[in-house]
Amino acid sequence: QKEVEQDPGPLSVPEGAIVSLNCTYSNSAFQYFMWYRQYSRKGPELLMYTYSSGNKEDGRFTAQVDKSSKYISLFIRDSQPSDSATYLCAMSDSGGGADGLTFGKGTHLIIQP
Amino acid sequence: DVKVTQSSRYLVKRTGEKVFLECVQDMDHENMFWYRQDPGLGLRLIYFSYDVKMKEKGDIPEGYSVSREKKERFSLILESASTNQTSMYLCASSTVGGTSGRPGEQFFGPGTRLTVL
């Protein structure tokens, strides 16, 4: 069963706050975990990915995966108004890209100046 | 600069019309996808293709068909458009991943907002 749960928000926080975005999933076969960012009237763009469990950091962004809990998170430090967007988690079992991804519904994030 | 283009940003059609949505990628990717995106439902996979003339059903293929005659072009066809097919349609192409812990990255087009009256 392919199912990914993600709170749609909106999530509104003041500039400079730490943001936590989360997804839960039920398919234990997922090994690749991605976060896409989608600005208004644009297609999604890959922000970060992790393979299996663990953490990955890229500038102000940190992705965490806890496979035992089937829970993934994206943290944004020192949030900026330009981070306002919809964030979609996405998952795959093979990672090969040939069979598509299973997406969460996306969380709409608003960073207030 | 990698690019996925879609033939129209906005499209308005009548119920029962045959609708063609075109997608072109210039990255020489084998894999191409069609999704629809609806408020509260997120992105849902309609069809995908991993090679020329090959196609596979996604999660919601009913009412749609696809065509891939050339590697760079993937078309979505609504044989007889209905009002419940009013949606944002997103095309994507992807690299082949799954090695060294790196997934295939999907590159999306800007989307076509289709309204069926």
Side-chain angles (χ1 to χ4, degrees), chain A residues 17-92:
Chain A
I18 295 175
V19 175
S20 172
L21 304 169
N22 311 292
C23 289
T24 60
Y25 64 95
S26 57
N27 186 349
S28 57
F30 287 143
Q31 295 193 80
Y32 295 85
F33 304 92
M34 289 144 275
W35 287 95
Y36 280 76
R37 179 173 60 193
Q38 185 176 20
Y39 290 114
S40 180
R41 289 185 290 278
K42 302 269 183 151
E45 293 179 306
L46 181 64
L47 188 61
M48 294 184 71
Y49 72 89
T50 48
Y51 173 66
S52 193
S53 286
N55 295 357
K56 188 171 187 178
E57 188 173 322
D58 184 2
R60 295 184 294 110
F61 298 87
T62 300
Q64 285 186 354
V65 174
D66 181 349
K67 289 191 73 180
S68 62
S69 302
K70 297 190 177 67
Y71 188 87
I72 71 170
S73 300
L74 178 70
F75 297 96
I76 307 174
R77 291 185 301 279
D78 187 26
S79 56
Q80 304 294 311
S82 59
D83 295 328
S84 298
T86 296
Y87 290 80
L88 302 107
C89 61
M91 306 181 189
S92 167

Side-chain angles (χ1 to χ4, degrees), chain A residues 2 32 34 36 38 41-46 49-51 86 88 92 94-106, chain B residues 9-10 31 33 35 37 40-43 45 48 50 90 94-99 101-106 108-110:
Chain A
K2 292 185 175 182
Y32 295 85
M34 289 144 275
Y36 280 76
Q38 185 176 20
R41 289 185 290 278
K42 302 269 183 151
E45 293 179 306
L46 181 64
Y49 72 89
T50 48
Y51 173 66
T86 296
L88 302 107
S92 167
S94 68
D99 57 352
L101 300 173
T102 301
F103 284 87
K105 295 177 182 177
Chain B
R9 292 300 304 271
Y10 300 93
N31 306 321
F33 310 85
Y35 294 89
Q37 187 173 33
L41 296 176
L43 272 167
L45 182 64
F48 62 97
Y50 54 88
L90 287 158
S94 83
T95 59
V96 175
T99 57
R102 183 178 179 91
E105 179 177 351
Q106 294 205 359
F108 285 84

